[in-house]
Amino acid sequence: MEIRPTHTPSRELLLLADESEASVADYVSRSRCYAAFEGDTIVGQYLLLHTRPFTAEIVNIAVMPARQRRGIGTALLHHAIRTARAEGFRLLEIGTGDCGTGQIALYERCGFVRCGIDRDYFRKHYPAPIFEHGVECRHMVRLRMELFEERPAE
Ligand code: ACO
């Protein structure tokens, strides 16, 4: 498996991570995509978006269902952290639904720290309610990672 930039993200993977076409359309052309390739096939990918000064966000990350839980998501997250740090970002952010306990644990294992809740994000911005395991996914859990221990000299 090799992770490298691509200009042609998998649409299937984009919608696997974010079921709102309008949401994906909002950020896809402004983001850079890095994909995990097995041969010529994309098995996972993430989008990195420059959101505000010194800050980037992983706005979309997904792995093909048949390839999940084999470490590809972790490898993509570590790649995103290295990429953002190498590009001089000071903060890396990620957000997911409050019902995504597996994803939240994965992000925390990679070093992200919970920093807030965007209340009713999915009710406000998604066309229909989202349910996982019978529980409505209402809020977005926000996580962040400081990429510098100390503020670098200007
Ligand atoms: N249920 C339970 N645990 C999960 C889940 C889940 N649905 N998803 C991730 N995890 C956690 C578990 O801790 C798991 O560890 P375990 O297998 O030892 O129990 C660990 O993540 C798996 O780690 P990896 O194998 O490195 O991750 P994977 O290759 O499976 O990729 C990903 C993780 C990207 C979340 C994948 O499950 C996926 O594509 N899910 C569907 C799309 C999605 O939800 N994307 C994230 C939305 S948020 C956003 O895009 C910013």
Side-chain angles (χ1 to χ4, degrees), residues 89-103:
F89 288 108
R90 297 178 186 172
L91 197 61
L92 184 59
E93 298 184 328
I94 193 164
T96 191
D98 55 347
C99 52
T101 48
Q103 288 99 317

Side-chain angles (χ1 to χ4, degrees), residues 6 8-15 33-36 42-47 60-63 72 76:
T6 177
T8 52
S10 152
R11 184 159 178 77
E12 182 186 346
L13 285 175
L14 289 172
L15 293 171
C33 180
Y34 294 85
I42 293 180
V43 294
Q45 67 188 23
Y46 70 88
L47 296 187
N60 187 299
I61 180 168
V63 171
I72 296 173
L76 287 167

Side-chain angles (χ1 to χ4, degrees), residues 63-81:
V63 171
M64 286 296 180
R67 294 283 189 282
Q68 287 177 10
R69 306 190 88 149
R70 297 176 188 192
I72 296 173
T74 301
L76 287 167
L77 287 162
H78 286 303
H79 188 276
I81 295 163

Side-chain angles (χ1 to χ4, degrees), residues 32-53:
R32 276 174 297 129
C33 180
Y34 294 85
F37 284 89
E38 283 179 3
D40 290 336
T41 307
I42 293 180
V43 294
Q45 67 188 23
Y46 70 88
L47 296 187
L48 194 64
L49 177 65
H50 184 169
T51 53
R52 54 196 168 97

Side-chain angles (χ1 to χ4, degrees), residues 7-8 23 57 131 153:
H7 293 297
T8 52
S23 171
E57 178 167 343
F131 284 90

